[in-house]
Amino acid sequence: MPQTLAIIGGSGPEGRGLALRFAMAGYPIVIGSRDAARAAEAAMGLLDLNAGLPITGAANTDAASLADWTLLSVPYEALGATTQALAPVLAGKLVTSVVAPLAFEGGIAKAVVVSQGSAAELVASLLPDSRVTSAFQNLSARDLLKPEMELDGDVLVCGNDKDARAQTIELAASIKSLRGVDAGDLSNSRYVEDLTALLLNVNKRYKAHSTIKLIGL
Amino acid sequence: MPQTLAIIGGSGPEGRGLALRFAMAGYPIVIGSRDAARAAEAAMGLLDLNAGLPITGAANTDAASLADWTLLSVPYEALGATTQALAPVLAGKLVTSVVAPLAFEGGIAKAVVVSQGSAAELVASLLPDSRVTSAFQNLSARDLLKPEMELDGDVLVCGNDKDARAQTIELAASIKSLRGVDAGDLSNSRYVEDLTALLLNVNKRYKAHSTIKLIGL
């Protein structure tokens, strides 16, 4: 029986895209939002795309309480406060940060410097009793939301707990044609998160939705 | 007639690998080193791998003076001083930084924070009269040095001058099976340089020589 996943910030494009793909892979999904009605609306929208999927919605705390495993997909500005508020219900559980800390200046994406090193390390600093991994930052939300589209590419997975990293690699590989790559300790998450800024800037220039693949593994 | 390329720090593995590949593509190469004898020795070593290539060696200043286009491939620690010393002979010319600012802690590669934003922006700050691009940081030196090996992958090219960027993209594509990708302004170079740390850490884990490719362009 696959674990139930909560996706906090799951009413945003990246969160909805991941919810759709993981549900297609058979994981029961609870979309979390600050507003329970908005979470339910996002769940309904995904069921319109692909009826019969195991997707529901709830307020953030309820979603995280219901789930075995929580993915954080909120804007970076909200990450600290959201994580702190959920710390009690996330204790003892697996938590995956999907967040890339970005700012935009004149249409150009810039990686924001995080004093803890990365968004994922910020999460880990606030959740000492959870196992924290980092993944999925570099996938195009628009492509995730096209259920029939195959997503060639690699998901770079970081985390300090080897078993948590292995589970996250398996979750990545549950999306058809994607490969999970073991990118080591959470201290490597900065490079993966920052890469999102580069991909967005390249995408703008090429009018594309690119992602990355490691050649030669 | 292809431009003559100087590769400063060309006696190191990355510099020698690039020298070999660009020479194979028909570019006359001058390997630069602080010590002219060491530069000549590196050139001879490459001619042993592939006789008849247009590769010679010279002291750094002579190499940069002889060339139309200079690539900087020195360790980050030496980049500021080396660039400053060459500024007069590089004025008015095209200069490409190949440098990734790395440090190693307990066998783990870490990207060093550069106050100018990136190694390439440090170079640009010291060479106001040159056109500066950034490229080639993510290629495996060992694979570059195997003349018969095809190098599938992308070279992400940054630079503030569009024509200089286009020339550097063309240089990347001169290596068989590689693609040059326009990664925009020099402010994006940080993400490309830092990615080198991630690739080295992944390579160690997988015992591989990986590089990246953008999927979906």
Side-chain angles (χ1 to χ4, degrees), chain B residues 29-201:
Chain B
I29 303 290
V30 190
I31 288 181
S33 177
R34 277 176 300 177
D35 175 6
R38 215 166 145 216
E41 194 185 343
M44 294 300 288
L46 294 176
L47 295 177
D48 274 350
L49 281 178
N50 197 330
L53 290 177
I55 304 179
T56 180
N60 280 338
T61 312
D62 295 332
S65 302
L66 278 166
D68 307 298
W69 184 352
T70 292
L71 286 84
L72 299 172
S73 178
V74 298
Y76 172 64
E77 296 71 35
L79 183 62
T82 304
T83 304
Q84 200 137 36
L86 295 175
V89 296
L90 295 176
K93 296 184 179 176
L94 182 48
V95 175
T96 300
S97 170
V98 177
V99 177
L102 298 178
F104 291 84
E105 291 173 22
I108 305 290
K110 301 265 179 198
V112 174
V113 174
V114 180
S115 61
Q116 289 83 358
S118 61
E121 286 162 288
L122 164 64
V123 168
S125 74
L126 296 170
L127 301 178
D129 298 323
S130 305
R131 291 177 304 152
V132 175
T133 63
S134 142
F136 306 112
Q137 296 90 347
N138 300 328
L139 297 176
S140 155
R142 284 199 214 180
D143 289 351
L144 284 168
L145 282 165
K146 294 175 188 151
E148 67 299 326
M149 183 169 183
E150 278 203 30
L151 297 169
D152 190 19
D154 284 342
V155 172
L156 301 171
V157 176
C158 304
N160 294 339
D161 180 294
K162 198 179 170 187
D163 175 64
R165 225 159 54 215
Q167 286 186 62
T168 310
I169 290 169
E170 197 182 321
L171 180 63
S174 78
I175 301 179
K176 197 178 168 196
S177 306
L178 284 187
R179 174 173 68 165
V181 170
D182 187 341
D185 286 354
L186 224 47
S187 62
N188 288 300
S189 187
R190 171 159 70 100
Y191 315 124
V192 184
E193 295 173 14
D194 289 2
L195 192 54
T196 310
L198 180 72
L199 292 174
L200 289 174
N201 293 335

Side-chain angles (χ1 to χ4, degrees), chain A residues 109-111 152 156 165 181-184 187-188 190-192 194-195 197-199 201-202 205-206 208-217, chain B residues 109-111 152 156 165 181-184 187-188 190-192 194-195 197-199 201-202 205-206 208-217:
Chain A
K110 301 263 179 200
D152 189 18
L156 301 170
R165 224 160 54 214
V181 171
D182 186 340
S187 63
N188 288 301
R190 171 159 70 100
Y191 314 125
V192 183
D194 289 3
L195 192 54
L198 180 71
L199 292 174
N201 293 336
V202 168
R205 193 166 289 277
Y206 284 84
H209 307 155
S210 67
T211 189
I212 71 149
K213 195 169 181 91
L214 299 195
I215 304 294
L217 283 195
Chain B
K110 301 265 179 198
D152 190 19
L156 301 171
R165 225 159 54 215
V181 170
D182 187 341
S187 62
N188 288 300
R190 171 159 70 100
Y191 315 124
V192 184
D194 289 2
L195 192 54
L198 180 72
L199 292 174
N201 293 335
V202 168
R205 195 166 288 278
Y206 284 84
H209 307 155
S210 67
T211 189
I212 71 150
K213 197 171 180 89
L214 298 194
I215 303 293
L217 283 197

